[in-house]
Amino acid sequence: MSVEQQVSGTRLTLDLWHPNCWAIEATEQTGGGVLAHAIYNSPATSGEMPTSVNGLFTAFGDTEDEVERLLDAICESDRAGELQELQERFGRQRNAPGNVVREFFLEYDPDDMVCPTLLEHGFVHSAPVRIEDGREEWQVCFADERSKIEPALDKVREEAGAEVSVAAITASESAASEREQRLDSLTSAQRKVFEHARDAGYYEWPRETSTRELADDMDVSKTTLLEHLRKAEAKLLDP
């Protein structure tokens, strides 16, 4: 393997579940999702490990009510400490998914974090973690040989009690395209509708399917499908 390959490594998208996570539990119970941006250590006595950490997060969803229910579920979790909501909405600047975003700091136990285990085994976090439907999506870079990815993941699974699968894998120099970044701005429902429409030939000329057929395929009303599809198109086309 060349020096360039050793430095650039491999980019991975990991689908991950691990125990004792307030965000996984909350998003499994409600709609909407959470973006995890950064973690800050709380003050601790010199030489001691911090007893808690504070994270910066974005709660997102389709409606105010959906996000409110999500925040309530987080506050009710016995694994979450004090939640401090921010007035300034950084999420929109961060291209957060959803029609509604609310930023917050949350205090929680560092022992409940999986990122130190990922880092210990060579997986370097490279983008905000997206948590929806009781699962986490991690964008990471693995600096070692590709043949060592699966053994390293096995160690993560064993040490963190985690379920981990590789959703995507690319050379690290192939940075996420603008299209992929725009897709990340869609809600889960918007992305599913858009990708199904694309795969079914809705954007071909002439069109290979109709919105009625797409709605029937996804077992939703035509009105619901059009709402998700038009919002997805607006986000993807917005310059």
Side-chain angles (χ1 to χ4, degrees):
M1 184 169 62
S2 70
V3 173
E4 181 180 351
Q5 287 176 310
Q6 290 175 341
V7 173
S8 62
T10 303
R11 290 173 58 91
L12 301 159
T13 300
L14 301 179
D15 176 76
L16 189 149
W17 175 93
H18 64 102
N20 306 327
C21 176
W22 56 267
I24 287 176
E25 293 172 357
T27 58
E28 192 172 32
Q29 297 167 12
T30 68
V34 173
L35 287 181
H37 300 294
I39 298 168
Y40 308 92
N41 286 343
S42 299
T45 303
S46 179
E48 293 183 358
M49 292 295 291
T51 56
S52 66
V53 292
N54 284 280
L56 173 61
F57 302 94
T58 299
F60 63 85
D62 284 330
T63 65
E64 289 281 3
D65 186 57
E66 184 175 65
V67 174
E68 190 67 42
R69 289 197 303 270
L70 173 59
L71 291 174
D72 287 344
I74 293 171
C75 290
E76 291 168 5
S77 172
D78 58 4
R79 301 196 178 279
E82 180 183 2
L83 185 150
Q84 180 183 358
E85 192 165 348
L86 305 180
Q87 294 303 312
E88 187 175 359
R89 297 191 173 185
F90 295 104
R92 194 57 68 187
Q93 296 174 6
R94 295 173 187 271
N95 215 19
N99 302 314
V100 179
V101 296
R102 286 163 66 176
E103 305 292 326
F104 63 95
F105 279 111
L106 184 74
E107 182 181 15
Y108 60 104
D109 189 337
D111 289 340
D112 293 340
M113 295 163 51
V114 72
C115 48
T117 307
L118 288 167
L119 184 60
E120 179 183 353
H121 296 293
F123 299 99
V124 181
H125 182 207
S126 62
V129 179
R130 181 165 173 164
I131 307 109
E132 285 183 283
D133 301 321
R135 307 290 294 187
E136 296 183 350
E137 181 184 276
W138 285 76
Q139 304 292 333
V140 298
C141 182
F142 187 74
D144 213 330
E145 299 175 31
R146 284 199 183 194
S147 61
K148 295 182 179 180
I149 290 175
E150 196 57 38
L153 287 177
D154 283 339
K155 292 178 181 177
V156 172
R157 295 181 182 110
E158 180 181 356
E159 294 177 17
E163 299 172 4
V164 191
S165 61
V166 177
I169 181 169
T170 59
S172 119
E173 57 268 20
S174 304
S177 67
E178 182 179 348
R179 174 180 167 277
E180 290 169 333
Q181 292 173 2
R182 287 176 180 262
L183 282 173
D184 285 342
S185 74
L186 306 183
T187 66
S188 174
Q190 290 165 2
R191 183 163 184 165
K192 286 177 183 176
V193 167
F194 170 74
E195 290 186 337
H196 178 61
R198 181 192 61 198
D199 293 344
Y202 179 74
Y203 294 105
E204 299 294 327
W205 183 259
R207 282 181 173 166
E208 298 176 2
T209 188
S210 67
T211 52
R212 170 58 63 192
E213 291 171 323
L214 292 174
D216 291 342
D217 290 345
M218 304 194 74
D219 196 24
V220 298
S221 70
K222 181 179 177 181
T223 300
T224 298
L225 179 125
L226 282 171
E227 179 184 1
H228 290 316
L229 191 60
R230 297 299 174 250
K231 287 179 178 178
E233 290 171 344
K235 290 179 180 179
L236 294 172
L237 296 172
D238 185 352

